[in-house]
Amino acid sequence: QKPGQTAAASSSTSYWAMAGTTGEKDMKVWTPIDNQKFETFSYLPPLSDGDIAKQVDFIIRNGLSPCLEFASKETSTVSNDSTVRFTGSAAGYYDNRYWTMWKLPMFGCTDASQVLREIEECKRAYPSCYVRLAAFDSVKQVQVMSFLVQKPGQTAAASSSTSYWAMAGTTGEKDMKVWNPIDNKKYETFSYLPELTDAQIAKQVQMIITNGLSPCLEFSAEESSFVSNDNTVRFTGSAAGYYDNRYWTMWKLPMFGCTDASQVLNEVAECRRAYPSCYIRLAAFDSVKQVQVISFLVHQPGATTSTASSSTSYW
């Protein structure tokens, strides 16, 4: 058929009319026009708490780990506008595979009410986002199941009279801070905390030195400090573990043989004075494994030199 084309005349005994007499059940066809779908069950009406609980029970029974992920509507699908492309990728790679994780995977979860409690909390925190429940196989190291538990603007599905959410509220589990991905760039370890004091940085440096690692400072202008198609140089034929924009500009050389936290704090202060409008991070390298094992910010653009430290300042 072409658009606007009329149906061609068929024989007096229509094949279509014959097919209607076979008694085969109708099959629902997915409409691809302005109709985005999101993996398993997304063609169904919203699942109730009871429906979700049954799926969670199946996940737990099969030794899998439940996990919640969420994404804003505009970044929930693969498109050139919302996806950063990686070249030379390994087998199994596809763009925009992961959404933002809600807290941590629920390793050791034994009760569906624990998962429903997290779903409800995630829905309240991000009512305008898609939320999906995934299941991971810790042996095969893969995601084996995924389905939506919320769509933007969706009202909560009716649950049974004994609400799983009410049951979950009695577990007394401690809350965990969740990173907000909307207009809120974060930079590795500790970046969700207030700026570290000199004393706090010194404690981290002391841990680095104690473990035989080498401290190193790196800095970057705000506009080039994160991964985007505009500010990143792509490398092809990359090895496993590669990701773009991994390194910033190094401040001097790694501090091999450093034995005193004050030496590192001197360099941090000097780098702050030289580049007050840049992000500065302290990294630690393992010279045996030849990898970076720690990294955290010690300065953000527009931040004061340091928040109040102890009366005996390391600096």
Side-chain angles (χ1 to χ4, degrees), residues 246-247 256 285-293:
R246 182 172 186 174
Y247 299 109
F256 301 113
F285 290 95
D286 187 319
S287 60
V288 177
K289 296 179 180 178
Q290 292 289 299
V291 292
Q292 176 182 303
V293 294

Side-chain angles (χ1 to χ4, degrees), residues 94-127:
Y94 57 95
D95 294 311
N96 219 19
R97 181 173 185 175
Y98 299 107
W99 292 354
T100 302
M101 187 179 293
W102 171 262
K103 302 185 180 179
L104 294 174
M106 288 167 260
F107 303 114
C109 177
T110 58
D111 187 351
S113 66
Q114 297 171 337
V115 179
L116 288 166
R117 174 174 178 255
E118 296 300 332
I119 290 174
E120 190 65 26
E121 191 176 340
C122 188
K123 285 179 177 179
R124 286 201 305 267
Y126 298 101

Side-chain angles (χ1 to χ4, degrees), residues 200-219:
Q200 290 168 332
I201 295 172
K203 289 180 180 178
Q204 297 301 320
V205 174
Q206 197 58 51
M207 186 274 292
I208 290 170
I209 295 171
T210 301
N211 285 276
L213 306 174
S214 300
C216 177
L217 290 177
E218 298 174 334
F219 64 96

Side-chain angles (χ1 to χ4, degrees), residues 151-173:
K151 298 177 183 179
Q154 172 185 313
T155 57
S159 60
S160 60
S161 57
T162 305
S163 169
Y164 279 86
W165 164 241
M167 292 167 59
T170 65
T171 60
E173 293 180 355

